[in-house]
Amino acid sequence: MIAEDEAGPTLSIAPVPLPERLDTAAVEALKHLVARAEAEGSALDASGVAYIGGLCLQVLLASGRPLVAPSEKVREAFALFGVSEFLSEPSTSSSELSA
């Protein structure tokens, strides 16, 4: 379910949590989680992701689902692949925070 406010559409359903490890073995499960998020109209919670491989990153990009609270490892992977602009939250590294 998507709610409207002055700023535009917002997701009003709890985000679907992603597993800690998103490697090649997790691709099928990730596709099911993405399908669930699409059916519910919710975002994907990437706060607990400790590892993300290229194939799962591609699945996330192709899904177009917003990521909520991407972990530092998710931010690093998106930056490594040059697709940080697809993260819905601004990317700040720990070195930028300490400056």
Side-chain angles (χ1 to χ4, degrees), residues 1-3 10-15 40-43:
M1 170 188 257
I2 298 177
T10 58
L11 300 171
S12 61
I13 303 294
E40 294 175 357
S42 64

Short mmCIF file of all heavy atoms in Angstrom, two decimals, residues 1-3 10-15 40-43:
data_model
loop_
_atom_site.label_atom_id
_atom_site.label_comp_id
_atom_site.label_asym_id
_atom_site.label_seq_id
_atom_site.Cartn_x
_atom_site.Cartn_y
_atom_site.Cartn_z
N MET A 1 0.84 -1.17 0.00
CA MET A 1 0.00 0.00 0.00
C MET A 1 0.89 1.23 0.00
O MET A 1 1.81 1.34 0.77
CB MET A 1 -0.89 -0.03 1.24
CG MET A 1 -1.63 1.26 1.44
SD MET A 1 -2.47 1.28 3.02
CE MET A 1 -4.10 0.96 2.47
N ILE A 2 0.62 2.16 -0.87
CA ILE A 2 1.38 3.39 -0.95
C ILE A 2 0.47 4.54 -0.55
O ILE A 2 -0.62 4.69 -1.06
CB ILE A 2 1.93 3.61 -2.37
CG1 ILE A 2 2.88 2.47 -2.73
CG2 ILE A 2 2.61 4.95 -2.49
CD1 ILE A 2 3.45 2.53 -4.12
N ALA A 3 0.93 5.32 0.40
CA ALA A 3 0.15 6.46 0.88
C ALA A 3 0.68 7.73 0.21
O ALA A 3 1.86 7.82 -0.11
CB ALA A 3 0.28 6.56 2.40
N THR A 10 4.51 7.59 -0.34
CA THR A 10 5.36 7.00 0.68
C THR A 10 4.90 5.56 0.90
O THR A 10 3.73 5.24 0.73
CB THR A 10 5.28 7.76 2.02
OG1 THR A 10 3.91 7.77 2.44
CG2 THR A 10 5.77 9.18 1.88
N LEU A 11 5.83 4.70 1.28
CA LEU A 11 5.51 3.31 1.55
C LEU A 11 5.00 3.19 2.97
O LEU A 11 5.63 3.68 3.90
CB LEU A 11 6.75 2.44 1.34
CG LEU A 11 7.32 2.49 -0.07
CD1 LEU A 11 8.67 1.79 -0.13
CD2 LEU A 11 6.38 1.90 -1.08
N SER A 12 3.84 2.56 3.15
CA SER A 12 3.26 2.49 4.48
C SER A 12 3.27 1.08 5.06
O SER A 12 2.76 0.87 6.15
CB SER A 12 1.82 3.03 4.44
OG SER A 12 1.04 2.24 3.57
N ILE A 13 3.83 0.14 4.36
CA ILE A 13 3.93 -1.24 4.83
C ILE A 13 5.34 -1.45 5.38
O ILE A 13 6.30 -0.91 4.85
CB ILE A 13 3.67 -2.23 3.66
CG1 ILE A 13 2.32 -2.00 3.02
CG2 ILE A 13 3.83 -3.67 4.11
CD1 ILE A 13 1.14 -2.29 3.91
N ALA A 14 5.47 -2.26 6.43
CA ALA A 14 6.79 -2.54 7.00
C ALA A 14 7.69 -3.14 5.91
O ALA A 14 7.26 -3.96 5.11
CB ALA A 14 6.65 -3.52 8.15
N PRO A 15 8.96 -2.71 5.88
CA PRO A 15 9.86 -3.23 4.85
C PRO A 15 10.15 -4.71 5.03
O PRO A 15 10.11 -5.24 6.14
CB PRO A 15 11.13 -2.40 5.04
CG PRO A 15 11.03 -1.80 6.39
CD PRO A 15 9.58 -1.73 6.74
N GLU A 40 3.38 -6.42 -1.74
CA GLU A 40 2.95 -5.65 -0.56
C GLU A 40 3.10 -4.15 -0.76
O GLU A 40 2.62 -3.38 0.05
CB GLU A 40 3.76 -6.08 0.67
CG GLU A 40 3.52 -7.51 1.10
CD GLU A 40 4.42 -7.93 2.25
OE1 GLU A 40 5.29 -7.13 2.69
OE2 GLU A 40 4.26 -9.06 2.72
N GLY A 41 3.82 -3.75 -1.80
CA GLY A 41 4.10 -2.34 -2.00
C GLY A 41 5.05 -1.79 -0.96
O GLY A 41 4.94 -0.64 -0.56
N SER A 42 5.99 -2.63 -0.52
CA SER A 42 6.91 -2.21 0.53
C SER A 42 8.34 -2.12 0.03
O SER A 42 8.67 -2.56 -1.07
CB SER A 42 6.83 -3.17 1.72
OG SER A 42 7.26 -4.45 1.34
N ALA A 43 9.19 -1.56 0.87
CA ALA A 43 10.61 -1.44 0.57
C ALA A 43 11.32 -2.70 1.06
O ALA A 43 10.70 -3.60 1.65
CB ALA A 43 11.18 -0.21 1.27
#
